[in-house]
Amino acid sequence: MKKRKLMFFLPLAILTLTGCSGSENIDVKSEEKDFYNNTTEYKITANKLNTYYINDSKIEYVDLKEFVHTLDGFLDYNSYNFSKVPFDSIYTMYYKTDSYRFRLYFDYNLDTISLNNYNALGNIVSTNDTDFMVGLKEDTSSLEATGGGETTWNLSGLFDLHYRDGKLYIPFMLANTILCSNNYYNVYYNGKAYNGYYTAFDPSSNQSIDAFSLDDSEHRLANFNLITFVMNNLYGLKDYKKVNDYSTILKDYKDDMLSTDFDTYSNAYKKFFMDYLDDPHTTYHITNKFEKITYGDYPFKDGNIKTQVTTGKELKALKESNEIKNSIDYYESTAIIHFDEFKTGTNNQVFDENKSVKDTAKDYDSYYFMLDAMKKIEAHGGIKNIMLDLTTSPGGNIAAMFRVLGFITNQDITITQFNRVGTLAVTEKMKVDTNLNGNFDDADAYIDYKWGVLTSNYTYSAANLFASIIKNQAICKIYGEKTGGGMCAVTPIVLGDSSTVYISGTLAFVTRNDNNTFKYLEAGVEADTKVDRSNFYNFEEIHKLFN
């Protein structure tokens, strides 16, 4: 873990900018701030970020091009082109591939942002420490795409864009949201310095940030406006919940969210993100004092979150009463693998200095957990049936989920991703190389065993998608209860006041029907055979399910 870094400031530099064709008549002040990259997943070498203040506003702005340049190593700065459209109020940012140009338009007159594809929001560099695609290969020949098109975000009444002397000025909190949060990197500004983290700040780590110090009325309003922008444009369940405009709902929370009192706006966050949305993928997670929020005694209202929390507690107690302590249990010719989170380990967690797999890799990576389980089952002998117990699985990493599926089936894995930004649906197949020999077509799954999957109302998110794939591709039978749902990838959002919320992001996993309509997975997947919860860990009863 990294030690806390000392933060210091350079003298304030006041710039007087000279106008040019297309420039706005604005006053701009500039202050150079320290920037710290606090992850080894991305090698970002920059250590400064210019902060701009427009006219008399206290809100922090960044120059779009400078912001991307500072984040070079996470965003691929050299792949981008930045330019102003001549004789117009549009500033363009784009990068190209062999077949497509991913483009963002920033109209500083209309205060709009337009994009021709969701992927225009970031051409990111591959992570250094974690290889998410090991043993996986996309079958691009199977790709089927429908929908897609221009998306325009209207910032009027929320944020102003500005342009002068070749610079497109955008509020820092907005730039961070659209270019970083969506790509699982977040930059925090606490009023003193900028700190970047992979995914989000982790209060349990050895790192620390000084508490946020900008709770004035102007920042509170900008923060509220960012929440409005996020909910209307980046919340993945907006259409599923049939909400036209979240600003009409947020007005009931506005006064408290605008308060400069920490307890008042923090409680308002809980009421909106936890109680009103009632979405287990959405949570008010970390305060702007950089403390993780615990909900042990929180009075959840009746609904999805309360059901999940209650079910989780019941299943934990049930496992304890049945003395479930091992990762594998046996009954006659049946093995039960107890599986929780789908995880992809970092290189340091998986390999030693000689690139050999560590004995502890199974504790950090689901592939090595399953590989270890199969070795133990084979060594045990006499096993014909394997039940994969996902009753206490809240989900996890999608890539890890694919690799676990590769132990059960030789089929290519078919998935459909729907993004509400641009309404683009893409169906493709994923190939899995379970024995990691480089051959993706050598039938290396453990299909000599009869498999089953045990689910509960707590089986959620990536585990819910796992169950959906099992059912749609008729891989094996599902036993237990209907899964808890959860179809969207979780997106970590840093609010304007440096609080962290996790939301159901714009990318959802759905099922494509024959007529090109889609079935949402949010409501869960039904079990083929219902099993009473009291028998989940009765291995004799589990064994009988295979006979």
Side-chain angles (χ1 to χ4, degrees):
M1 297 293 181
K2 292 188 177 182
K3 300 293 184 181
R4 179 179 177 180
K5 296 181 178 179
L6 296 177
M7 302 176 184
F8 57 95
F9 309 100
L10 296 179
L12 182 69
I14 305 298
L15 300 182
T16 301
L17 303 181
T18 305
C20 63
S21 177
S23 294
E24 295 180 298
N25 184 21
I26 55 175
D27 292 324
V28 180
K29 296 179 181 179
S30 173
E31 183 176 349
E32 189 179 59
K33 300 280 190 176
D34 293 315
F35 171 82
Y36 303 106
N37 175 46
N38 296 282
T39 177
T40 55
E41 288 288 2
Y42 298 109
K43 294 180 180 178
I44 300 174
T45 59
N47 58 13
K48 303 292 180 184
L49 177 60
N50 287 326
T51 303
Y52 297 91
Y53 299 92
I54 309 298
N55 297 327
D56 295 324
S57 174
K58 297 178 182 178
I59 302 304
E60 295 75 19
Y61 276 73
V62 291
D63 166 21
L64 180 67
K65 185 176 181 179
E66 287 180 357
F67 185 68
V68 175
H69 191 225
T70 295
L71 295 175
D72 187 31
F74 158 59
L75 297 172
D76 186 2
Y77 172 76
N78 290 325
S79 70
Y80 286 101
N81 181 282
F82 301 86
S83 62
K84 181 187 173 298
V85 177
F87 310 109
D88 207 336
S89 60
I90 294 175
Y91 187 88
T92 304
M93 166 182 169
Y94 71 86
Y95 69 93
K96 295 188 294 184
T97 65
D98 291 339
S99 58
Y100 200 76
R101 187 171 100 157
F102 296 93
R103 181 263 306 150
L104 284 163
Y105 280 160
F106 298 83
D107 191 321
Y108 55 88
N109 185 26
L110 298 178
D111 289 323
T112 61
I113 300 175
S114 300
L115 54 154
N116 64 348
N117 187 288
Y118 176 80
N119 289 322
L121 295 176
N123 187 24
I124 63 174
V125 177
S126 297
T127 51
N128 289 310
D129 293 344
T130 308
D131 185 358
F132 289 100
M133 290 300 292
V134 63
L136 301 177
K137 183 173 73 172
E138 294 174 283
D139 180 5
T140 55
S141 66
S142 68
L143 191 143
E144 178 184 0
T146 54
E150 191 83 6
T151 296
T152 298
W153 294 330
N154 188 350
L155 305 178
S156 297
L158 301 176
F159 296 105
D160 295 327
L161 301 176
H162 296 286
Y163 176 83
R164 190 164 189 177
D165 291 345
K167 295 179 182 290
L168 189 285
Y169 297 107
I170 179 173
F172 157 73
M173 64 179 73
L174 182 61
N176 180 62
T177 298
I178 64 175
L179 296 178
C180 298
S181 299
N182 276 304
N183 295 304
Y184 294 88
Y185 184 89
N186 269 295
V187 181
Y188 293 79
Y189 179 66
N190 62 355
K192 301 175 182 178
Y194 295 93
N195 279 270
Y197 291 89
Y198 180 58
T199 307
F201 174 74
D202 180 5
S204 65
S205 70
N206 199 31
Q207 299 167 338
S208 65
I209 316 177
D210 289 343
F212 185 77
S213 60
L214 298 173
D215 274 340
D216 56 81
S217 59
E218 189 176 0
H219 278 94
R220 294 309 309 162
L221 179 59
N223 177 72
F224 180 81
N225 290 342
L226 183 68
I227 294 173
T228 303
F229 172 83
V230 167
M231 293 307 302
N232 276 334
N233 299 294
L234 301 178
Y235 183 53
L237 296 184
K238 182 188 176 192
D239 299 331
Y240 178 81
K241 291 174 176 281
K242 296 181 171 57
V243 176
N244 181 53
D245 184 359
Y246 268 105
S247 63
T248 60
I249 296 166
L250 281 164
K251 67 181 181 181
D252 294 334
Y253 304 87
K254 185 173 183 178
D255 287 346
D256 285 347
M257 287 188 179
L258 291 182
S259 172
T260 58
D261 177 69
F262 170 80
D263 289 334
T264 301
Y265 64 72
S266 185
N267 286 331
Y269 292 164
K270 292 177 182 178
K271 290 177 182 178
F272 176 71
F273 289 109
M274 306 300 294
D275 295 338
Y276 175 78
L277 292 179
D278 192 30
D279 166 13
H281 263 162
T282 297
T283 177
Y284 171 36
H285 196 63
I286 303 169
T287 73
N288 58 9
K289 295 180 180 180
F290 301 105
E291 298 168 341
K292 185 173 182 178
I293 303 167
T294 57
Y295 291 93
D297 298 321
Y298 189 78
F300 290 109
K301 68 174 187 178
D302 291 342
N304 297 324
I305 294 179
K306 185 174 181 178
T307 297
Q308 259 223 324
V309 171
T310 302
T311 301
K313 290 179 179 178
E314 289 178 1
L315 292 174
K316 181 180 179 181
L318 196 58
K319 277 192 169 184
E320 289 176 353
S321 65
N322 283 272
E323 298 184 346
I324 307 300
K325 299 178 181 179
N326 302 314
S327 59
I328 309 171
D329 282 295
Y330 303 93
Y331 186 90
E332 295 187 358
S333 59
T334 298
I336 303 94
I337 302 175
H338 304 292
F339 189 95
D340 289 332
E341 186 178 359
F342 293 98
K343 296 182 289 188
T344 299
T346 65
N347 293 331
N348 287 336
Q349 290 170 335
V350 173
F351 302 108
D352 62 21
E353 61 275 8
N354 297 317
K355 304 301 181 183
S356 298
V357 176
K358 293 180 178 179
D359 293 337
T360 56
K362 63 183 181 296
D363 299 327
Y364 302 98
D365 192 293
S366 299
Y367 170 81
Y368 291 102
F369 172 86
M370 287 296 295
L371 191 63
D372 179 73
M374 297 314 299
K375 289 178 180 178
K376 289 176 179 176
I377 289 171
E378 289 178 334
H380 183 276
I383 299 300
K384 297 179 181 178
N385 317 305
I386 301 177
M387 182 69 80
L388 189 62
D389 171 19
L390 296 181
T391 56
T392 55
S393 176
N397 177 253
I398 298 296
M401 183 212 68
F402 289 139
R403 283 187 284 273
V404 172
L405 279 166
F407 283 86
I408 302 176
T409 181
N410 286 317
Q411 297 181 46
D412 293 341
I413 310 303
T414 300
I415 58 166
T416 299
Q417 303 173 62
F418 175 80
N419 201 313
R420 64 174 298 264
V421 175
T423 61
L424 176 66
V426 177
T427 300
E428 64 177 343
K429 291 185 178 181
M430 186 72 70
K431 292 180 174 291
V432 185
D433 175 20
T434 300
N435 60 11
L436 301 184
N437 68 349
N439 186 342
F440 287 84
D441 299 302
D442 60 352
D444 47 10
Y446 292 80
I447 60 172
D448 290 339
Y449 297 99
K450 186 175 182 179
W451 288 84
V453 175
L454 186 65
T455 62
S456 74
N457 295 147
Y458 191 79
T459 306
Y460 192 73
S461 191
N464 177 63
L465 177 59
F466 185 97
S468 173
I469 294 169
I470 289 287
K471 173 163 280 196
N472 292 338
Q473 297 189 210
I475 294 171
C476 65
K477 293 291 185 182
I478 300 174
Y479 304 92
E481 299 173 341
K482 184 179 181 179
T483 62
M487 68 177 181
C488 294
V490 179
T491 300
I493 300 287
V494 173
L495 302 182
D497 64 2
S498 282
S499 302
T500 306
V501 297
Y502 284 71
I503 67 168
S504 289
T506 63
L507 182 65
F509 291 90
V510 298
T511 299
R512 185 190 289 269
N513 299 320
D514 292 337
N515 59 354
N516 270 335
T517 59
F518 304 100
K519 179 182 178 182
Y520 291 115
L521 305 181
E522 186 64 23
V525 178
E526 294 282 358
D528 298 304
T529 300
K530 296 188 183 302
V531 176
D532 189 270
R533 190 175 294 178
S534 62
N535 285 325
F536 278 181
Y537 313 118
N538 183 330
F539 303 138
E540 181 179 1
E541 293 300 318
I542 296 298
H543 173 69
K544 289 179 181 178
L545 294 171
F546 289 101
N547 299 301

